[in-house]
Amino acid sequence: MTKIGIFVGTVYGNAQMVAEKAQALLQEAGHEATVFDEGTLEEWQRYEHDCVLVVTSTTGQGDLPDTIEPLFYDIKDSLGHQPSLRYGIIALGDSNYENFSGAGKKFDALLQEQQAQRVGEMLLIDSSDVSEPESFAEPWIRSWSSLVN
């Protein structure tokens, strides 16, 4: 199956719970999935010919959490072109804020700019509607898992 790096940006732990659920479901489907809590550029580059799943919450005015912000800027500053990378994004946010799920959308825009190939649509999880984001994400993760085969 597919080798998948799951890169997490979290503040209060919800994105971490979603990432751990994704890891379990992806492994159950036969994929090799590894979670990176504070992923580095070196770890990211191990997946350049495979697949990554970015699971990130959003802070402030659509900002990246401290746990994933350094990775985002390392990718932006060091990797100009990633056409062989396939990826998915699960973005957590609160629709009561203007920049709902802004961190996930920023990651998606960066990877699109670098010509990485998004697999499926981005999943947006609204904390004002969803009390258990890991359960809410399960159907999307199962569907995405079959797309990355």
Side-chain angles (χ1 to χ4, degrees), residues 20-116:
E20 289 169 2
K21 180 70 162 190
Q23 180 183 29
L25 293 172
L26 292 167
Q27 288 175 341
E28 179 183 294
H31 299 291
E32 179 188 325
T34 305
V35 173
F36 296 95
D37 300 331
E38 293 189 31
T40 65
L41 184 63
E42 180 182 328
E43 290 164 335
W44 179 274
Q45 288 179 295
R46 289 182 204 154
Y47 295 89
E48 68 182 319
H49 298 290
D50 296 298
C51 198
V52 297
L53 177 60
V54 175
V55 182
T56 185
S57 57
T58 300
T59 65
Q61 299 300 310
D63 299 325
L64 295 152
D66 291 343
T67 59
I68 202 165
E69 186 177 39
L71 174 62
F72 176 88
Y73 285 106
D74 284 347
I75 292 167
K76 183 176 181 170
D77 296 340
S78 302
L79 304 177
H81 196 61
Q82 300 187 77
S84 61
L85 176 71
R86 296 181 304 148
Y87 74 95
I89 295 191
I90 299 176
L92 292 82
D94 184 334
S95 64
N96 291 313
Y97 291 91
E98 184 178 337
N99 295 306
F100 170 58
S101 294
K105 291 174 183 175
K106 283 179 184 177
F107 239 107
D108 182 53
L110 173 64
L111 295 175
Q112 287 288 301
E113 182 182 302
Q114 294 185 344
Q115 299 181 337

Side-chain angles (χ1 to χ4, degrees), residues 1-4 21-33 138-149:
M1 289 290 190
T2 305
K3 182 178 161 188
I4 303 167
K21 180 70 162 190
Q23 180 183 29
L25 293 172
L26 292 167
Q27 288 175 341
E28 179 183 294
H31 299 291
E32 179 188 325
E138 186 171 339
W140 183 94
I141 295 164
R142 288 186 187 280
S143 174
W144 189 80
S145 172
S146 67
L147 295 174
V148 298
N149 281 333

Side-chain angles (χ1 to χ4, degrees), residues 4-22:
I4 303 167
I6 304 171
F7 292 84
V8 184
T10 194
V11 177
Y12 300 113
N14 287 334
Q16 183 72 35
M17 289 188 303
V18 172
E20 289 169 2
K21 180 70 162 190

